[in-house]
Amino acid sequence: PERLPAAVISREAGGWWQTLVLGRGSLQGVRVGQAVVAPGGLIGLVAAVTPTTATVTLLTDPASRVGVWVGRTSRHGLLSGVGSPRPLLRFLEKDPQVRAGDVVVTSPASTLVPPNLPVGVIQSVDEGADPAPEAVVQLIAPVESVDWVQVLVP
């Protein structure tokens, strides 16, 4: 996909971890569902578009769900925003064999976002979570301070 640069022109007043507004829109080819990356990796998906702006739901937003992959162990999971700077990775199996320091990327099986985009690094793992283990993920991209992003336009 082509990488369309876009300035962050606004953040949600209630909390930076929910949405960003970009200074690019449908006139520049931005569409709902496109992936948005910042230096370091994926930060969110386009949720709404006007002719000149785009609203991005960040990976940290409680409404965000993205399929991800831990390459070292070949395990899939679902990255969910929890309204804090660090989203939660919920695994699909009981013993994902992951540990702090493992790198998380977008799922090679994903149809929503391009595969293998860097996302974050596992900070801690809760083996006792029910129904399957969960991990706290530190995003690689500096979501709280990013001024410019790139929209991945097919």
Side-chain angles (χ1 to χ4, degrees):
E2 179 190 339
R3 290 176 175 247
L4 177 71
V8 175
I9 58 171
S10 170
R11 293 174 184 275
E12 183 157 307
W16 59 262
W17 59 83
Q18 294 172 303
T19 58
L20 299 176
V21 179
L22 308 180
R24 299 277 193 151
S26 60
L27 293 176
Q28 290 83 29
V30 178
R31 303 284 180 263
V32 169
Q34 290 170 337
V36 178
V37 296
L42 182 72
I43 62 165
L45 300 175
V46 175
V49 179
T50 72
T52 56
T53 66
T55 301
V56 177
T57 299
L58 296 171
L59 297 179
T60 49
D61 184 296
S64 174
R65 303 277 183 278
V66 174
V68 294
W69 170 259
V70 178
R72 186 184 66 77
T73 60
S74 300
R75 294 297 200 264
H76 287 276
L78 189 64
L79 190 73
S80 303
V82 291
S84 79
R86 294 179 175 171
L88 198 59
L89 173 47
R90 293 181 169 98
F91 290 97
L92 306 179
E93 60 266 308
K94 275 285 189 201
D95 184 17
Q97 300 168 3
V98 297
R99 60 179 180 241
D102 282 347
V103 175
V104 178
V105 299
T106 55
S107 172
S110 177
T111 53
L112 291 178
V113 294
N116 302 312
L117 289 174
V119 174
V121 176
I122 292 178
Q123 294 293 295
S124 61
V125 180
D126 177 359
E127 297 284 352
D130 196 42
E134 299 175 343
V136 174
V137 174
Q138 174 65 53
L139 298 177
I140 297 170
V143 178
E144 68 283 355
S145 62
V146 68
D147 294 324
W148 281 88
V149 298
Q150 294 174 326
V151 181
L152 302 186
V153 180

